[in-house]
Amino acid sequence: MFKELLKIRLSHYFIILFSFFLGVLMFIPKPTLSSSALTLFSINSFLFGFYFTPALNNQKARIEELGKIIRGESVALFKILIRTRKITDEKVHDKIQKMIGDYIRACLIEKKAGAGEKEYDKMIGELVHFNRKHKDIAEIDGILDALSDNQSNRTNFDMMMGRRIYSNEWYVTLTLFSVTLALPIIVDIGNNPILHIVAAMICATLSLLLITLLKVNYLVHKKAKGIWNPLESLLDSDFRTIQNKDDLAD
């Protein structure tokens, strides 16, 4: 349910949040704030920006790194699939391609650290115990070596998937965000409707920043969805290409 809510577009969230905060600003009582209270709010706002910006940038860098890793693995799998064309035994050829396809499907379904582990181990196990007297053993050994080399991509993928924002970091972020958000809500701006609209826009924008951080952290942001394109393209093209439609259009 939580991740489904995160899939809502940011533009839709803005409209909802703007309407909500506009209603809140019209009815919530406004206390009189002393200069010391305003100073505390200003310090908190500075701390929020100081803490939030690196957190968002780190998660964006994580998405970019995951994209490179997944593309690297897609290239490795593509090269392995090319090698399968040299296997003269049609049954062995089809079996290896099916195992690779099962692995890719598992990765695309699970989309988490350790995704496809069972399928990958099964594939390596099958090739390790392959009949040494088979006529295609040289190609089988080459594929096995390539699968072993690809383990570095899988290890890096698992590490990057684990680099989410920790719970204690969320506590700090949410605390600073809540106090920052409170200022435009409780400050007395009179009955000027334009100022109410401006304050509601500020509150909605602040909230969008937090939602954006949640989206990139859980890899449901639009930018994050594209990291899976190489694997999807490899599967959809029947192992003929790792280029997605957007790449070809460029």
Side-chain angles (χ1 to χ4, degrees):
M1 179 63 179
F2 174 69
K3 286 190 176 182
E4 290 300 319
L5 289 174
L6 288 179
K7 292 179 181 179
I8 299 174
R9 293 173 62 106
L10 289 173
S11 56
H12 296 164
Y13 264 120
F14 181 81
I15 296 172
I16 296 169
L17 290 168
F18 173 75
S19 302
F20 170 76
F21 285 117
L22 189 60
V24 169
L25 287 164
M26 289 181 177
F27 298 103
I28 194 169
K30 306 292 194 298
T32 302
L33 298 177
S34 63
S35 58
S36 58
L38 291 173
T39 301
L40 284 175
F41 275 111
S42 298
I43 294 173
N44 180 87
S45 298
F46 170 78
L47 289 174
F48 174 67
F50 182 80
Y51 193 84
F52 179 88
T53 302
L56 183 59
N57 290 338
N58 287 339
Q59 289 305 307
K60 287 183 176 180
R62 171 175 170 248
I63 290 175
E64 291 178 2
E65 190 62 30
L66 279 169
K68 293 177 183 177
I69 293 169
I70 293 173
R71 177 167 285 275
E73 180 171 30
S74 300
V75 170
L77 293 174
F78 184 62
K79 290 180 178 178
I80 291 170
L81 287 160
I82 290 176
R83 295 198 66 155
T84 62
R85 297 174 184 174
K86 297 180 181 179
I87 297 175
T88 56
D89 190 323
E90 189 174 341
K91 289 184 178 180
V92 175
H93 168 273
D94 293 345
K95 184 176 182 180
I96 293 176
Q97 287 210 349
K98 182 181 182 303
M99 288 191 293
I100 294 175
D102 290 342
Y103 166 68
I104 295 173
R105 290 185 188 92
C107 290
L108 292 174
I109 292 173
E110 297 175 29
K111 293 182 179 179
K112 62 181 182 180
E117 190 74 33
K118 179 180 176 182
E119 288 77 10
Y120 204 84
D121 289 344
K122 177 184 177 182
M123 187 160 41
I124 290 180
E126 290 276 355
L127 298 181
V128 165
H129 297 98
F130 199 81
N131 183 5
R132 303 302 303 173
K133 295 182 180 180
H134 195 279
K135 59 183 177 180
D136 294 314
I137 191 61
E139 294 303 326
I140 297 299
D141 285 344
I143 291 172
L144 183 58
D145 289 341
L147 287 172
S148 299
D149 293 339
N150 184 56
Q151 285 285 16
S152 60
N153 282 321
R154 289 177 46 75
T155 300
N156 292 333
F157 173 79
D158 290 347
M159 289 176 59
M160 294 306 299
M161 288 297 286
R163 281 181 53 183
R164 287 184 176 182
I165 299 175
Y166 297 116
S167 57
N168 62 305
E169 295 174 315
W170 277 120
Y171 295 149
V172 175
T173 302
L174 288 172
T175 299
L176 295 174
F177 165 77
S178 300
V179 179
T180 303
L181 184 66
L183 180 59
I185 292 178
I186 65 175
V187 68
D188 189 359
I189 53 177
N191 296 320
N192 191 322
I194 296 179
L195 291 180
H196 278 86
I197 292 173
V198 172
M201 291 178 68
I202 292 173
C203 292
T205 303
L206 280 171
S207 301
L208 280 186
L209 287 175
L210 189 66
I211 295 172
T212 300
L213 184 60
L214 284 165
K215 278 177 168 283
V216 295
N217 183 63
Y218 289 101
L219 301 178
V220 294
H221 191 271
K222 182 179 180 180
K223 184 177 181 181
K225 293 178 181 178
I227 66 177
W228 308 102
N229 285 346
L231 286 178
E232 290 174 348
S233 180
L234 188 60
L235 198 61
D236 294 342
S237 67
D238 196 23
F239 311 131
R240 290 185 175 88
T241 180
I242 60 171
Q243 298 292 325
N244 57 61
K245 294 180 180 178
D246 293 336
D247 292 335
L248 295 174
D250 293 338

